[in-house]
């Protein structure tokens, strides 16, 4: 469990941006057990999330609003993370630890962690990242940390998850196959459509030869698609 002594350690010396972020994360996880140091830093800030694990519902309107706001927002120490916190401050809801376990929670708030139920691990601290892990830094020699690092490497080295070696057909081939399947299932409709384009081209030819050529080209393509579908059927 986090205690006042750990907070005091963070408060030693100047409180830089990184220390401030850690303080915010720690005190917000268990406000009933670890209080924000109001005497030293004033009133506690609003809820703040680490954007390394962030879920939202995509929306074109939201995307436009994000870009419009970004253009008039000055730079901040934590770049996109600060910006996302500012933009979503009235909508943000914390992700449960089971889907966003930061390794430091294992020693800051172990009473809140059910390690056997964790689905997503957020290797936030540089020394906890598996590809940088040495086990020499503070708390990195813990057995639970070693286990999480080992699991990451097991997934990374699992060849069944390496889609660069998969036998899936290229996107173009897959798209062609789906298109041909659709045509085979609707040959009369496609043929009727092709004939309609041809008729429209004849009618339009009197007004503009260029339009006639365009309709004729569409007619030829439609017929070609129908012939390929019937040949492959």
């Amino acid at each position: 469990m986090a205690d006042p002594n750990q907070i005091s350690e963070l408060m030693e010396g100047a409180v830089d941006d990184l220390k401030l972020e850690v303080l915010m994360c720690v005190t917000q996880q268990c406000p009933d057990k670890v209080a924000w140091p109001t005497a030293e830093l004033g009133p506690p800030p609003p809820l703040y999330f680490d954007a390394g694990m962030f879920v939202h519902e995509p929306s074109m309107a939201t995307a436009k609003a994000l870009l419009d706001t970004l253009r008039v927002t000055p730079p901040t120490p934590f770049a996109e993370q600060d910006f996302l916190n500012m933009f979503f401050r009235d909508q943000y809801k914390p992700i449960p630890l089971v889907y966003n376990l930061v390794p430091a929670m294992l020693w800051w708030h172990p009473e809140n962690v059910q390690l056997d139920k964790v689905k997503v691990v957020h290797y936030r601290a540089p020394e906890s990242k598996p590809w940088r892990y040495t086990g020499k830094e503070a708390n990195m020699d813990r057995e639970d940390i070693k286990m999480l690092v080992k699991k990451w490497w097991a997934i990374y080295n699992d060849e069944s998850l390496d889609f660069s070696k998969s036998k899936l057909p290229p996107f173009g081939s897959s798209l062609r196959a789906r298109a041909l399947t659709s045509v085979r299932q609707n040959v009369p409709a496609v043929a009727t459509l092709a004939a309609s384009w041809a008729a429209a081209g004849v009618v339009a030819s009197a007004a503009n030869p260029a339009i006639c050529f365009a309709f004729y080209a569409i007619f030829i393509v439609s017929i070609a698609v129908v012939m390929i579908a019937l040949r492959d059927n």
Side-chain angles (χ1 to χ4, degrees):
M1 176 186 306
D3 58 46
N5 291 330
Q6 291 172 312
I7 296 296
S8 297
E9 291 175 9
L10 285 172
M11 294 299 296
E12 290 179 359
V15 179
D16 57 19
D17 292 324
L18 181 57
K19 284 185 178 181
L20 185 60
E21 185 191 6
V22 171
L23 280 167
M24 291 166 66
C25 292
V26 170
T27 56
Q28 288 175 8
Q29 286 289 343
C30 285
D32 56 325
K33 294 183 173 66
V34 184
W36 174 263
T38 305
E40 295 85 353
L41 299 178
L47 288 176
Y48 187 91
F49 59 84
D50 186 321
M53 176 57 177
F54 172 67
V55 181
H56 82 106
E57 183 177 351
S59 157
M60 291 303 295
T62 301
K64 182 180 185 303
L66 278 165
L67 292 175
D68 291 344
T69 306
L70 182 62
R71 293 188 182 98
V72 295
T73 302
T76 56
F78 285 97
E80 85 290 346
Q81 182 166 289
D82 287 342
F83 175 72
L84 290 171
N85 270 275
M86 177 206 68
F87 187 88
F88 291 107
R89 63 181 176 272
D90 296 326
Q91 304 171 49
Y92 163 62
K93 294 181 180 179
I95 298 175
L97 284 181
V98 67
Y99 290 106
N100 188 28
L101 176 65
V102 175
M105 295 301 293
L106 293 169
W107 56 89
W108 280 95
H109 297 300
E111 74 282 2
N112 288 355
V113 179
Q114 293 178 289
L115 200 53
D116 58 325
K117 295 183 179 180
V118 169
K119 308 297 183 184
V120 178
V121 179
H122 180 177
Y123 299 88
R124 181 181 173 280
E127 61 270 17
S128 72
K129 298 183 186 301
W131 55 94
R132 295 182 182 176
Y133 179 77
T134 65
K136 297 178 181 179
E137 295 85 353
N139 294 305
M140 291 297 107
D141 58 347
R142 295 169 55 100
E143 291 303 316
D144 45 14
I145 293 294
K146 292 178 182 178
M147 180 271 291
L148 292 176
V149 170
K150 184 177 180 180
K151 280 196 171 185
W152 188 94
W153 280 110
I155 295 172
Y156 180 81
N157 291 320
D158 186 345
E159 292 190 359
S160 69
L161 300 176
D162 186 355
F163 292 101
S164 67
K165 298 178 181 179
S166 69
K167 302 301 182 182
L168 294 174
F171 174 75
S173 299
S174 176
L175 186 62
R176 176 179 177 274
R178 289 198 297 271
L180 290 178
T181 297
S182 178
V183 171
R184 290 191 199 104
Q185 295 171 348
N186 301 279
V187 168
V190 175
T192 301
L193 181 62
S196 299
W197 280 115
V202 171
V203 173
S205 62
N208 192 323
I211 296 178
C212 177
F213 177 78
F215 277 106
Y216 179 71
I218 295 173
F219 167 72
I220 293 299
V221 170
S222 301
I223 291 298
V225 170
V226 171
M227 294 301 294
I228 291 173
L230 291 175
R231 182 197 66 190
D232 293 344
N233 195 1

